Amino acid sequence: TPCEHVEKMCEWKEWMNKEYPNPNNPNQNETYANLRDTYDFCEVPMEIDCSISGMDTLEIPFESFAQEGVTCDINSGLYCDASQLSGFFAVCYDYEIRVKCCWEECVTPPTTTETTTVTTATPPTTTEATTFSTTTTTTPTTAETTTVSTTMPPTTTETTTTPPTTAATTPCEHVEEMCEWKEWMNKEEPSTSNPNQNETYANLRDTYEFCETPMDIQCSMSGMDTLDIPFESFAQEGVICDMSSGLYCDASMLPGKGQICLA
């Protein structure tokens, strides 16, 4: 017989990431056309999610950290054109996408069971009660009241005036520690000729002014400093962010060949 109950079913497919950008191939093509020979997903996705690899668990809009010129389109997928990025020798971040696929499925409708409830009425029970009434007479009692008046002598209050005291100048008794965050510092921009990035204190002092012994440090990727995201969740492998020395990225420690540090 024909299906009497058709239900729409949907699911998110796995995250897909086929290409890893590098200085030799700085673009990233995660379009549907490029992904279909590696991943299995529906012909017409209903929704799309785009993210940077390793950041897909964070509930942050993609637009808030994506590079300028990156396209995340429900009709075609994701594409990053490095020539649209600011700066020289720019390389796309490592992006990934996932899509939501929907289909129709014949589902057996739930069985409805009729329940009949029978109510039996119980007649009320009548109880006879006999009431006895007792009357008690109370004789009023007369009480005499005597009022005694007492006069108190007036009270005299003496007021003593203390002359003002002149405070002497003494050494500071309360010293408070004051702290402030300095401006974001970014001196080097990695390139194919210099893929490393040296943002150590020693390298920064001839350009920026800051204290000799910092009490805390924050590291970020350029353009992402306004996001409340732990640096470790998106930093490249091998990047050092140390309160004692600053930040250093050694491109030779990054996975793959010909890699370049992200500014």
Side-chain angles (χ1 to χ4, degrees), residues 76-98:
S76 58
L78 179 142
Y79 190 80
C80 174
D81 183 356
S83 67
Q84 299 294 313
L85 305 179
S86 57
F88 296 101
F89 305 109
V91 177
C92 294
Y93 296 157
D94 184 27
Y95 294 102
E96 60 184 1
I97 73 168
R98 67 171 181 167

Side-chain angles (χ1 to χ4, degrees), residues 221-233:
M221 198 178 293
S222 181
M224 296 180 64
D225 49 73
T226 58
L227 303 177
D228 188 16
I229 307 173
F231 179 65
E232 297 77 15
S233 64

Side-chain angles (χ1 to χ4, degrees), residues 21-35:
N22 59 67
N24 297 323
N25 180 25
N27 303 324
Q28 186 167 16
N29 182 0
E30 302 295 349
T31 59
Y32 300 155
N34 191 42
L35 290 168

Side-chain angles (χ1 to χ4, degrees), residues 27-262:
N27 303 324
Q28 186 167 16
N29 182 0
E30 302 295 349
T31 59
Y32 300 155
N34 191 42
L35 290 168
R36 290 195 183 280
D37 63 352
T38 307
Y39 296 93
D40 182 19
F41 57 99
C42 52
E43 189 66 29
V44 183
M46 301 302 293
E47 288 187 50
I48 186 173
D49 259 359
C50 299
S51 181
I52 292 177
S53 180
M55 295 180 64
D56 49 70
T57 58
L58 304 176
E59 296 182 2
I60 301 174
F62 179 67
E63 297 76 16
S64 64
F65 56 79
Q67 292 165 293
E68 185 178 351
V70 177
T71 303
C72 177
D73 181 40
I74 179 63
N75 298 312
S76 58
L78 179 142
Y79 190 80
C80 174
D81 183 356
S83 67
Q84 299 294 313
L85 305 179
S86 57
F88 296 101
F89 305 109
V91 177
C92 294
Y93 296 157
D94 184 27
Y95 294 102
E96 60 184 1
I97 73 168
R98 67 171 181 167
V99 295
K100 188 182 200 178
C101 294
C102 297
W103 67 95
E104 291 184 344
E105 191 171 304
C106 184
V107 179
T108 303
T111 304
T112 304
T113 305
E114 293 186 2
T115 303
T116 305
T117 303
V118 179
T119 305
T120 304
T122 303
T125 303
T126 305
T127 304
E128 294 184 3
T130 304
T131 305
F132 295 92
S133 217
T134 304
T135 304
T136 304
T137 303
T138 303
T139 303
T141 303
T142 302
E144 294 183 2
T145 304
T146 303
T147 302
V148 179
S149 298
T150 304
T151 302
M152 298 297 291
T155 303
T156 302
T157 304
E158 293 183 3
T159 303
T160 304
T161 304
T162 303
T165 303
T166 304
T169 304
T170 57
C172 181
E173 296 179 356
H174 182 73
V175 178
E176 187 173 336
E177 183 179 55
M178 310 297 288
C179 296
E180 69 172 355
W181 282 100
K182 307 300 285 186
E183 63 181 315
W184 285 97
M185 298 177 282
N186 184 353
K187 182 178 178 180
E188 296 191 350
E189 185 170 332
S191 62
T192 50
S193 59
N194 180 25
N196 303 324
Q197 186 167 13
N198 182 0
E199 303 295 348
T200 59
Y201 300 155
N203 191 41
L204 290 168
R205 290 197 183 281
D206 62 352
T207 307
Y208 296 93
E209 183 180 349
F210 56 99
C211 52
E212 188 65 29
T213 308
M215 302 301 293
D216 204 349
I217 186 175
Q218 282 187 344
C219 298
S220 181
M221 198 178 293
S222 181
M224 296 180 64
D225 49 73
T226 58
L227 303 177
D228 188 16
I229 307 173
F231 179 65
E232 297 77 15
S233 64
F234 59 81
Q236 293 169 290
E237 184 178 348
V239 176
I240 298 173
C241 176
D242 180 45
M243 191 177 73
S244 303
S245 58
L247 179 143
Y248 189 80
C249 173
D250 184 353
S252 66
M253 302 297 291
L254 304 179
K257 295 182 179 180
Q259 294 304 316
I260 185 172
C261 294
L262 298 175

